[in-house]
Structures are given as structure tokens and as C-alpha cells.
Amino acid sequence: MNTRGSIQSIQSHITSEFDTLEYVLVHRPGREIDRLTPGNKTRLLFEDIPFHKKMMSEHDAFTASLRAQGVNVVYLEDLVADIAQDPAVLKNMVHEASLAAGQPGISEVLLDHCSADQLIDILFAGLTASEFDACTKGQPVSASQEDFFILDPIPNIYFSRDPAAVINNGVVSCKAHYPARVRDMLLTRAVLRWHPLLKQNPIVYGDSPSEDRPYTIEGGDIIIINEEAIAIGCSQRTRSESIALLAKNLFTCGSTRRVYEVNIPAAREYMHLDTVFTIVAPGIVVSYSDVIDNITEIRRFEAQPGSDGVITAQPQREQRTFKQILVDEFNAPLQVINTANNDARYAAREQGSDGTNTLAIAPGRVVAYDRNIHTNQALRAYGIGVIEIEGSELVRGLGGPRCMTMPLRRNPAKNS
């Protein structure tokens, strides 16, 4: 599914959540989804086992809707296949995956016995003990109840938002909270480092051992308010210490001037800030009021140059509410669209099915799941154009249109 066409490189640039989307990175749900079982789905962060064929169809319709709006869609699996043509890069990816799984000894064995195509499949779909024997000893695969994964599949990788985020012209390479998502980050970092489409974009966080786990941060918690300010959720998956490190790096490279650390409940149903809050147009936000209206702790980081010229990120307790901060940052009245129009019968349900997790593709134009009827009605009442997609299977991993996309470039000059 090579969709890169004649694109030679993509100069990443994002200074808002709603400027016209030009390039986006996605991953089509692959064989890794078909490896979910009742025994492993919880460990692999799924509520239920999706119907894989229907899930692929829904994702294809989603990406078709993006292309119909003029968005260039780039597939992670294509980029991984491209860089895997370099034996040194392929070796690095296999080694990192084996090390992250606690199986460092198998990387050289796999490299000696498996083709590049087989290795790429293993990086996404994982490897069972019987498959390892088949690969290394030439034995037929004979799966049994006792068969187990040496390398787990990575079914969450279709949520391409979390492994990385573009802020201004730089890229944040994220670090996963749960082991089930570590390889998602590793593969995305590999294409950011080595693929000709993307490697010219500087990685401003996440490429140094000093920024490695336990300094976890995930892209769903990063929301760009404007070219001078970003909000980062301190959540179940993003640590306060990581936000401080990222803020320092962003100030040093001039990517932003203010970073707001927004504390939300450390709970699975609110795993990232973008599950309870998104921006859809200048001064217009979608908000799950049960969380956003009850935020009690916000820290603001601003740059502080030292006498030695080294910039530090100085935090201070924010006295303003989150909504007051948004009014000041937008420099305009704030319009809040509440999930399900704040109808108590539907708000929690539609937040749970990612009604708040909208993807803006231009100011006032969003992609949303069709199942979130009341939230979509509320969006339209505010004049927001809603492009609805089906997501009965896609939503089973607990993520919406924003979660499934990593925007690479937005162009404010094309706003209409």
C-alpha cells in the first residue's frame, strides 16, 4: 500500500490543532490485530477483540475521507518497509524490539534466519515460540494451547498519535508508559531518524538516553494551543518530570514560549488529555465537562535564561482556570462544545466512545465517529462541519480520529 508517490520530503510544521492538514501519518490495522486473544487482550490494552476485516474496511474509509478533503496520507508500514531495505537499519530495529521485549538474545538468530519481509511482519505482528522454531529450525508451525508469544504483537500501533508529535518545526519522539506500546514508539522513531521523507526534521525530545523511560510521555497528551503555547496532560501515561524535560528542550530550540502542565485523573477512561479535550477552530473547543471543569492543578513553564546562557524551564502554579488560560491564549471569547451537549444520559457514554477525540482537518471542519450522535449534533449547532466515519471496530482499542493520526504538516495559508 505505497501511497508516498512522488513526495521527496515532508518539512514538518504545526502551530495549531486546526490549520489545514496537509500531511498525516497513519497505520492501517494489520495482522497484529488478528493476534489478539481473550488471554492477551487486556495486557495489550484492548477492551474487546475487533473484527479485523471490518476494522480494516473502516480504516480504509477513514483515510479515503481524509484524501477527499485534500490530505496526503502516509502509511507507517510503508516507511518501515522502506528503511528496512538498509541492512544496518533493519538490524537496529530488530535489536531494539528484542531488547524492549526482554529477549536480547533472539535478534541475531532472527537476522540470520529470516528474510527482511518476515522480519517486518514480526516487528508488527510479533512472534510465537512455534513460529520461532519454524523460522530457525525449519519446523512446521504447530500452534497449541501452550504456544506463547516471544515477541508480543503491537495492536495499538494504529493509534499513530501517541508515538510522536510535531511542535512547530521539531518532532517529539515519545516514550510509552505501558510495555505494550514501547515498540510502537521504537518503529516510529526509526522512520523519523532514517526515512528520507522525515529525517530532515529535528527530533527535539526523545532521542537521548537521558530522556528515556521512566520519563514517559505520549502524543495524545500534547495539544498545541497556538504558536507560543502548548498544553500537555499530566495523565495516566505522561509524567510531570517528562513535561519539565520537554519544556526545557522546546524553549531551548525556540519551538514555544509557554507550556501548561494540565493534571487530569490518572484513569484508563481518561488516558490522555485529548480524550477529554480537543480544539476544533480558533476559540472553539470540545470538552468533557466532568473532567475539564474540575481541573484543580495546572503548572505553567516559561523559559529562564541562566547566567551561563543555558535555558531552564521554570514552573509556577497557575492561578487561572484552564478555560481562563484558553481565553487569554486565544485572545478571544471561548466557545465550549460539551460532549453530548452535556446531556447526562449520553455524555459519559460518548466520551467513552471518543466523541471528544475529534480530528480537525481545517478550521471548523472535523472528522468524528458517526456513533457519537449527540456530540456531532452539538458540533454542527456551533457551525462546525462534521465528516462522520464508521468506527464500531476501530473504537474497541479506545481511540478516535485524533488518536489514529499523527499530523506531519498543517498549512495556515490554506485555511478557508
Side-chain angles (χ1 to χ4, degrees), residues 262-309:
V262 181
N263 278 260
I264 63 173
R268 176 156 170 74
E269 60 265 37
Y270 317 126
M271 68 182 80
H272 296 124
L273 181 59
D274 71 357
T275 66
V276 293
F277 170 79
T278 50
I279 303 173
V280 297
I284 305 178
V285 304
V286 185
S287 166
Y288 181 56
S289 62
D290 281 11
V291 172
I292 297 300
D293 291 352
N294 292 293
I295 291 170
T296 59
E297 186 176 350
I298 300 174
R299 292 201 301 169
R300 184 178 77 252
F301 291 87
E302 293 185 330
Q304 182 65 50
S307 57
D308 56 359

Side-chain angles (χ1 to χ4, degrees), residues 9-302:
S9 67
I10 299 170
Q11 181 60 59
S12 294
H13 182 77
I14 295 180
T15 56
S16 85
E17 292 288 326
F18 52 75
D19 286 330
T20 299
L21 185 58
E22 286 192 327
Y23 291 95
V24 69
L25 183 70
V26 303
H27 173 72
R28 185 176 190 251
R31 199 168 72 91
E32 65 277 358
I33 296 293
D34 208 33
R35 312 274 265 177
L36 287 163
T37 69
N40 69 20
K41 66 179 176 63
T42 301
R43 185 179 80 252
L44 297 179
L45 309 178
F46 268 71
E47 305 303 297
D48 197 2
I49 300 173
F51 176 27
H52 185 205
K53 181 179 178 181
K54 182 70 161 58
M55 192 183 203
M56 290 189 294
S57 175
E58 289 177 354
H59 195 273
D60 289 344
F62 170 49
T63 53
S65 72
L66 294 177
R67 291 191 199 91
Q69 297 295 315
V71 181
N72 295 283
V73 179
V74 181
Y75 286 85
L76 176 66
E77 56 269 35
D78 286 347
L79 304 191
V80 170
D82 286 345
I83 62 174
Q85 302 309 305
D86 183 331
V89 172
L90 179 60
K91 180 177 181 179
N92 183 275
M93 288 193 292
V94 173
H95 177 70
E96 285 193 333
S98 303
L99 193 64
Q103 302 280 358
I106 70 168
S107 60
E108 292 297 336
V109 178
L110 292 175
L111 287 161
D112 286 343
H113 290 87
C114 300
S115 68
D117 286 345
Q118 288 174 317
L119 291 170
I120 293 167
D121 180 65
I122 289 168
L123 288 171
F124 286 98
L127 182 74
T128 67
S130 62
E131 290 165 347
F132 181 76
D133 287 343
C135 179
T136 59
K137 301 175 184 177
Q139 297 177 355
V141 176
S142 55
S144 67
Q145 292 292 338
E146 289 73 38
D147 203 10
F148 61 94
F149 279 101
I150 297 173
L151 294 178
D152 276 334
I154 50 172
N156 297 277
I157 198 165
Y158 77 99
F159 295 133
S160 57
R161 173 73 59 163
D162 297 323
V166 175
I167 300 176
N168 207 316
N169 296 324
V171 180
V172 178
S173 181
C174 297
K175 303 296 171 76
H177 173 75
Y178 284 110
R181 300 219 61 188
V182 169
R183 203 178 331 136
D184 302 21
M185 311 322 191
L186 294 176
L187 292 180
T188 303
R189 191 174 310 131
V191 301
L192 293 172
R193 282 174 177 162
W194 292 308
H195 199 283
L197 280 182
L198 301 173
K199 67 180 183 180
Q200 75 280 1
N201 299 302
I203 298 177
V204 299
Y205 178 92
D207 212 19
S208 165
S210 64
E211 297 157 353
D212 211 339
R213 300 174 77 208
Y215 296 107
T216 60
I217 186 167
E218 300 189 1
D221 277 314
I222 299 172
I223 292 184
I224 300 175
I225 302 174
N226 58 39
E227 14 178 81
E228 294 188 350
I230 64 171
I232 304 180
C234 184
S235 66
Q236 182 196 56
R237 303 191 182 188
T238 293
R239 295 169 62 95
S240 178
E241 296 86 350
S242 311
I243 297 171
L245 280 173
L246 174 57
K248 178 182 182 295
N249 289 11
L250 293 174
F251 296 151
T252 299
C253 68
S255 291
T256 194
R257 297 181 64 179
R258 294 175 296 284
V259 172
Y260 296 96
E261 177 185 313
V262 181
N263 278 260
I264 63 173
R268 176 156 170 74
E269 60 265 37
Y270 317 126
M271 68 182 80
H272 296 124
L273 181 59
D274 71 357
T275 66
V276 293
F277 170 79
T278 50
I279 303 173
V280 297
I284 305 178
V285 304
V286 185
S287 166
Y288 181 56
S289 62
D290 281 11
V291 172
I292 297 300
D293 291 352
N294 292 293
I295 291 170
T296 59
E297 186 176 350
I298 300 174
R299 292 201 301 169
R300 184 178 77 252
F301 291 87
E302 293 185 330

Side-chain angles (χ1 to χ4, degrees), residues 393-407:
E393 303 305 312
L394 291 170
V395 79
R396 292 179 192 267
L398 292 188
R402 189 181 193 272
C403 290
M404 292 189 293
T405 51
M406 179 197 163

